[in-house]
């Protein structure tokens, strides 16, 4: 039975869901959208119940390297837009492509279960203000995001102060009069630490490992807009970019930051110069990993200890698809094993969209993933030879498109891809399935 006949259920109206909705419409694939919040935008709408935004949050990539190619951000939008500018951008996107009419808003999907084998349909259940509902769909596209389920560490001991995850952080006033320890030096952790420096009594930053720091601007231009015209082998790119970082950033170890124990690009870089500035001025103390908690005292693994009123764990998020059984997603280890992080090896009626991270991928890279899937569904419906080749290829086994990169063995890196390798594979399939090659 062909899995693509009939209507698909599309879960989520964040950036990935919106991209999917647009391309499904373009390819003539009927769908019904479901969104937990009252409007589009996903986590970028700080008013959403599951949003993990905070007031000082901005994009860490520049607008021109992040936007959808066929829907550029307005000129008056800042180079590194705030979460409010981004939320408006996605609302404008939904208006421009007339997407809202396809969605049920304030609808929480509670269960997704197959009626049988591939092509036999899915029962999708949801709840809204009117109660519990369920309908049968030909297939399911999951686009509910990757940054909503907190990854909260289990610290040994007992802490008598306030212990929160960064997902519960909204406003710097939460730090007023408090001695703050931020755990985790990812991009959010560094952003939040800068807020705590300005609004708290003191701020320390606990780090398990070192990071590479990247400035937002180089020569007066967004750093991510420089280079890229010439494709370099990774060994040479590392050498050149490493030299540039030493020139513009200096040596973070001088300020107490640990030295990275991996090569550049084997984990995501930190796009934040302010945290280095404050560490260099003594406003921020870098601490080792936590050994144990005792009252308001935190003991660190290097033997140091200090008193705090608040611990904020900026320790990232876990993939979370609570409405579907993990085995249905071919879940192995820390993430589902899907062809190009989207396509099930054995089913043509189940797709996961947006389960990918890569430095510089932007929304356009995610739009391309959605277009590949939408064109594949249409191709199967029409019996195209290209769709049959893709069907056979994805059945061969797991392909993540890392480009040979040895990414850190961490849960948050389990779905990381190499941008160039990934886009080459995806746009190759788009072209084969009748789309245009990328400019």
């Amino acid at each position: 039975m062909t899995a693509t006949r009939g209507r698909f259920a599309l879960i989520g109206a964040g950036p990935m869901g919106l991209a999917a909705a647009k391309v499904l419409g373009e390819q003539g694939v009927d769908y019904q959208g479901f969104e937990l919040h009252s409007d589009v935008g996903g986590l970028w709408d700080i008013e959403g119940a599951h949003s993990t935004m905070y007031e000082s949050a901005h994009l860490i990539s520049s607008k021109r390297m992040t936007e959808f190619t066929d829907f550029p951000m307005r000129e008056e939008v800042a180079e590194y837009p705030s979460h409010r500018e981004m939320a408006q951008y996605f609302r404008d996107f939904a208006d421009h492509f007339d997407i809202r009419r396809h969605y049920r808003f304030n609808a929480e999907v509670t269960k997704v279960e197959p009626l049988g084998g591939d092509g036999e349909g899915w029962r999708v259940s949801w709840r809204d203000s009117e109660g519990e509902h369920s309908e049968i769909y030909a297939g399911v596209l999951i686009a509910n995001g990757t940054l909503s389920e907190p990854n909260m560490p289990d610290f040994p001991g007992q802490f008598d102060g306030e212990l929160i995850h960064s997902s519960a952080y909204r406003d710097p006033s939460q730090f007023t009069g408090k001695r703050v320890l931020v755990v985790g030096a990812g991009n959010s952790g560094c952003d939040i630490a800068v807020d705590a420096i300005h609004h708290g009594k003191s701020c320390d930053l606990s780090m398990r490992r070192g990071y590479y720091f990247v400035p937002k601007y180089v020569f007066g231009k967004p750093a991510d807009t420089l280079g890229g015209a010439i494709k370099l082998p990774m060994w040479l790119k590392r050498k050149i970019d490493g030299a540039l970082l030493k020139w513009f950033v200096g040596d973070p170890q001088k300020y107490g930051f640990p030295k990275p124990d991996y090569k550049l690009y084997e984990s995501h870089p930190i796009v934040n110069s302010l945290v280095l500035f404050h560490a260099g001025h003594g406003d921020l103390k870098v601490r080792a990993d936590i050994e144990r908690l005792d009252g308001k005292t935190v003991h660190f693994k290097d033997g140091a200890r200090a008193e705090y009123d608040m611990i904020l764990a900026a320790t990232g998020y876990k993939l979370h698809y609570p409405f579907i059984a993990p085995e249905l997603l071919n879940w192995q280890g820390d993430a589902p094993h899907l062809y190009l992080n989207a396509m099930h090896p054995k089913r043509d009626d189940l797709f996961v969209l947006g389960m990918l991270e890569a430095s510089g991928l932007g929304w356009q890279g995610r739009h391309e993933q959605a277009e590949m899937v939408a064109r594949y569904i249409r191709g199967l419906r029409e019996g195209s030879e290209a769709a049959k080749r893709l069907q056979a290829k994805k059945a061969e086994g797991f392909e993540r498109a890392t480009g040979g990169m040895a990414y850190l063995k961490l849960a948050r890196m389990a779905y990381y891809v190499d941008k160039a390798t990934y886009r080459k594979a995806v746009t190759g399939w788009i072209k084969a399935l009748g789309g245009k090659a990328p400019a």
Side-chain angles (χ1 to χ4, degrees), residues 137-177:
Y137 293 90
V140 177
L141 301 115
I142 299 173
N144 66 322
T146 61
L147 302 174
S148 64
E149 183 67 12
N151 179 29
M152 190 68 177
D154 184 16
F155 298 114
Q158 176 68 36
F159 184 61
D160 292 340
E162 187 177 358
L163 175 60
I164 66 171
H165 188 270
S166 57
S167 60
Y169 172 65
R170 288 292 180 273
D171 189 272
S173 62
Q174 291 174 246
F175 296 134
T176 301

Side-chain angles (χ1 to χ4, degrees), residues 393-414:
K393 182 65 177 177
K394 73 184 183 68
E396 291 178 1
F398 179 50
E399 173 52 55
R400 195 173 123 200
T402 62
M405 291 287 287
Y407 293 117
L408 295 180
K409 303 297 183 183
L410 302 172
R412 64 177 172 80
M413 303 298 294

Side-chain angles (χ1 to χ4, degrees), residues 230-292:
I230 301 174
K231 303 300 181 185
L232 300 173
M234 183 53 68
W235 69 267
L236 182 56
K237 179 176 173 58
R238 278 196 180 113
K239 192 169 185 178
I240 293 173
D241 290 355
L244 287 172
L245 290 185
K246 286 184 180 179
W247 180 268
F248 286 101
V249 176
D251 184 1
Q253 284 77 65
K254 290 182 178 180
Y255 311 133
F257 290 89
K259 184 177 181 179
D261 57 358
Y262 53 90
K263 296 178 182 178
L264 184 59
Y265 300 122
E266 289 181 348
S267 182
H268 62 80
I270 306 304
V271 188
N272 188 313
S273 300
L274 288 175
V275 72
L276 297 176
F277 172 88
H278 285 294
H281 284 73
D283 302 327
L284 174 77
K285 187 174 183 61
V286 178
R287 296 288 191 176
D289 196 12
I290 292 176
E291 182 178 78
R292 61 185 175 90

Side-chain angles (χ1 to χ4, degrees), residues 325-332 335-338 344-345 398:
E327 60 270 18
L328 292 173
L329 295 175
N330 195 33
W331 198 301
Q332 299 178 40
H337 278 200
L338 307 173
H344 195 284
F398 179 50

